Amino acid sequence: MDAERVPSQFAISLLRRVQERGHDLKVVLHGAGLDFNLLDRADPAWRPEISAMQYTRIYQQALRLLQDETFGLHPGRVVTPGAFRMMCYCVISCEDLGRAIRRMTEFQGTFFPEGAQLQASLGTSQCAVGYREMGGRGPHRVDAVDACGLSIWHRFFGWLTGRPLILEKVEFSGERPENPGKYQELFGCPVHYNQAAELMYFDSHTLSWPLVHTEQSLQDFLRTAPYQLLVMTSEHQQRSLAGQVKAMIGHDFSQGFPSFATISSALNMSAPTLRRRLKREGVTFQQLKDDCRCEAAKSYLSREGVSITQVARQMGFTDPSAFHRSFRKWTGKTPGEYRAVTVRAKL
């Protein structure tokens, strides 16, 4: 997945479940800002990719309509609504990634149906995380449904730690797909097919990586999921300290920003050290806050039914005129001008 673009196939599996349950597909497509039927490849406007925000809107509507937090990845195995959210709250206080993964598997083993449970083998040199099988699909050629499940977990682990999780290899139980190069590009490692399970492998030293998020940034993540995972920055950017700080700042500022002291503490360094290292990367904390607020404002302005005043409030501005001035400083356009350009681009 390139930043801001998602394969249409990722959304197709969700839409099929929505349609099978008798819900109005047109309403969901319209709510996502799509002007074509993703399930109809004969549609002249059909595209192989959609934006990350459009996929996020489909994802969130599917969750609401299906009341199923496996999101169509495990047909016939419905997870209690709210289970994934509660799992996230259970792991956010973990000290490191290893403890978080153990707690995830324990939680899912208790509350998720067997076929939808995350499996983990955390060895002393190599770890394997994934599924024994993907929803009882039987013999099949690997497709986007298989890739989406592992890719979302891969990125979620990276989000928790504020840096990319480098994979050593990925295994799928299905047969080799027609476009294997795309799967290798997606995971950034060798991909093997006709294996016993759906697993991703990585070095065990990553288990000691500390989690860098708080309940506040988790609330923002859950409110906009899976958008933040889909647009995660490049490996180099994620490795940078600035990238980790931006991940912790998040996209929801209605309750204010996490303090500089809170972030430096989460990164296990003193405030002066964090300030010095950010300066070395050519940025300041204020610049990173402005960048995050600008990105978030653009995201909210692209949504229908959200007024500019509401966006200003969500960004932490009590005075809408101050939001107008800041947004123009960030982008060169007023919020209204930016929204108009976005709307035209959808037509």
Side-chain angles (χ1 to χ4, degrees):
M1 289 182 290
D2 295 330
E4 299 292 348
R5 309 302 300 175
V6 178
S8 295
Q9 187 62 43
F10 279 22
I12 288 174
S13 61
L14 297 177
L15 291 173
R16 282 177 178 157
R17 291 291 301 282
V18 168
Q19 190 175 55
E20 288 168 2
R21 297 286 184 87
H23 299 291
D24 191 337
L25 196 62
K26 291 182 180 179
V27 173
V28 177
L29 292 171
H30 178 74
L34 290 169
D35 58 357
F36 65 95
N37 185 353
L38 272 170
L39 300 186
D40 182 10
R41 291 177 182 268
D43 189 321
W46 194 89
R47 297 189 299 273
E49 293 183 328
I50 58 177
S51 74
M53 182 54 68
Q54 288 169 332
Y55 177 78
T56 295
R57 290 170 181 161
I58 291 174
Y59 190 100
Q60 293 176 341
Q61 289 181 88
L63 169 61
R64 178 174 55 81
L65 294 171
L66 301 176
Q67 293 289 284
D68 175 4
E69 290 192 351
T70 65
F71 305 107
L73 294 176
H74 304 276
R77 295 182 172 92
V78 178
V79 173
T80 303
F84 180 79
R85 175 182 295 271
M86 291 309 301
M87 184 201 73
C88 289
Y89 279 108
C90 284
V91 305
I92 200 64
S93 61
C94 288
E95 183 178 329
D96 53 43
L97 182 60
R99 288 178 175 84
I101 292 176
R102 291 185 182 94
R103 189 168 293 181
M104 286 179 207
T105 56
E106 182 180 355
F107 185 97
Q108 292 200 6
T110 304
F111 296 104
F112 282 40
E114 184 176 357
Q117 293 171 12
L118 193 68
Q119 307 291 321
S121 174
L122 308 182
T124 56
S125 61
Q126 189 182 61
C127 300
V129 177
Y131 299 97
R132 289 200 181 115
E133 47 85 24
M134 288 291 285
R137 302 181 66 199
H140 69 284
R141 188 183 295 274
V142 170
D143 58 20
V145 172
D146 304 271
C148 184
L150 287 185
S151 180
I152 289 296
W153 283 113
H154 175 213
R155 288 167 180 252
F156 182 55
F157 294 167
W159 178 84
L160 284 171
T161 58
R163 52 178 134 173
L165 182 70
I166 307 303
L167 298 180
E168 296 178 349
K169 66 177 179 178
V170 168
E171 294 179 346
F172 289 113
S173 60
E175 297 178 5
R176 182 185 179 91
E178 296 179 358
N179 52 347
K182 288 188 177 181
Y183 292 82
Q184 185 162 324
E185 181 181 353
L186 174 64
F187 293 103
C189 66
V191 180
H192 304 280
Y193 305 97
N194 296 307
Q195 304 299 307
E198 325 290 325
L199 295 168
M200 55 184 181
Y201 294 80
F202 51 93
D203 196 295
S204 295
H205 84 272
T206 59
L207 298 178
S208 64
W209 288 358
L211 303 195
V212 300
H213 285 280
T214 63
E215 280 201 13
Q216 180 177 334
S217 57
L218 175 61
Q219 289 171 6
D220 175 34
F221 168 81
L222 292 171
R223 189 176 296 114
T224 60
Y227 182 76
Q228 292 190 41
L229 300 184
L230 299 175
V231 297
M232 284 178 71
T233 52
S234 68
E235 180 179 313
H236 170 73
Q237 289 174 308
Q238 290 181 57
R239 281 180 171 173
S240 73
L241 184 60
Q244 294 180 56
V245 172
K246 286 183 69 175
M248 295 178 68
I249 292 173
H251 292 79
D252 180 10
F253 313 108
S254 58
Q255 304 300 317
F257 289 90
S259 70
F260 192 76
T262 297
I263 289 179
S264 59
S265 176
L267 292 171
N268 294 315
M269 64 180 71
S270 67
T273 298
L274 176 56
R275 192 172 288 108
R276 184 170 59 253
R277 289 185 58 183
L278 287 176
K279 184 177 180 180
R280 218 178 282 158
E281 293 187 7
V283 295
T284 66
F285 185 54
Q286 184 61 50
Q287 288 173 326
L288 296 178
K289 289 198 297 184
D290 287 344
D291 287 348
C292 288
R293 197 143 57 163
C294 179
E295 292 168 8
K298 288 179 178 179
S299 171
Y300 283 108
L301 287 169
S302 68
R303 303 181 186 181
E304 296 180 8
V306 181
S307 71
I308 292 177
T309 299
Q310 289 174 317
V311 175
R313 192 178 303 115
Q314 194 70 27
M315 295 302 101
F317 289 90
T318 56
D319 180 6
S321 63
F323 171 60
H324 279 253
R325 290 193 299 272
S326 295
F327 191 81
R328 187 160 196 164
K329 177 183 176 182
W330 298 332
T331 66
K333 297 183 177 68
T334 67
E337 290 170 343
Y338 180 84
R339 171 165 276 178
V341 170
T342 304
V343 170
R344 284 200 298 272
K346 292 180 180 179
L347 300 177

